[in-house]
Amino acid sequence: MLISIRFCGGCNPRVNRRVIADNIKDYLATSGHVVVYNRTDTHFIVCISGCTASCAEHGVNHDEPTVVIAGASVDGLAVDENSLCSIAIKKVRDYLGKLEKPLSP
C-alpha cells in the first residue's frame, strides 16, 4: 500500500513532527508499505500538524482514509503526546486490516 505523510508548515509546533513521522514511517516501511510525503493520491494519508490548527489536513479529501495528528491530539481527541505514534499506527493498521479481510458470503 502507498501511504502519504503530510506536514503542516511548522509555524507553531507543539510536538516534534519529524520524530512522529520517522516513527510512523519506520513502522510502515518495515511492514512492507511504501511511504511518500505530501501527496494525496495514496491509499491512506497521515496528516501531522504541530498544533491544533491542523494545517496538514487542508486540501485533504476526508472521504479518503486519513488519520490526523494535530498537536497532542489524534482525530480530534486529546491524547498523551507519547502515544501519538502508536495511536496513529493502530488506525492505519486497522484500516489496512479491513481491506485484507475476505468478504463474508
Side-chain angles (χ1 to χ4, degrees), residues 61-103:
N61 178 354
H62 287 283
D63 291 334
E64 300 296 326
T66 305
V67 62
V68 176
I69 297 171
S73 69
V74 178
D75 288 343
L77 298 174
V79 300
D80 180 76
E81 186 175 333
N82 294 324
S83 302
L84 291 169
C85 294
S86 61
I87 292 170
I89 289 170
K90 181 180 183 323
K91 288 182 177 272
V92 175
R93 287 178 42 204
D94 288 350
Y95 173 77
L96 297 177
K98 289 177 187 173
L99 295 179
E100 295 172 359
K101 288 184 180 174
L103 296 174

Side-chain angles (χ1 to χ4, degrees), residues 13-26:
R14 305 232 167 108
V15 295
N16 189 328
R17 299 168 307 138
R18 173 53 61 196
V19 170
I20 294 167
D22 286 348
N23 287 336
I24 292 171
K25 179 186 177 190
D26 288 348

Side-chain angles (χ1 to χ4, degrees), residues 29-91:
T30 58
S31 300
H33 304 289
V34 176
V35 178
V36 296
Y37 293 98
N38 295 318
R39 287 178 44 186
T40 57
D41 58 336
T42 58
H43 298 105
F44 198 98
I45 302 170
V46 179
C47 298
I48 303 175
S49 297
C51 72
T52 55
S54 196
C55 295
E57 69 176 305
H58 294 177
V60 172
N61 178 354
H62 287 283
D63 291 334
E64 300 296 326
T66 305
V67 62
V68 176
I69 297 171
S73 69
V74 178
D75 288 343
L77 298 174
V79 300
D80 180 76
E81 186 175 333
N82 294 324
S83 302
L84 291 169
C85 294
S86 61
I87 292 170
I89 289 170
K90 181 180 183 323
K91 288 182 177 272

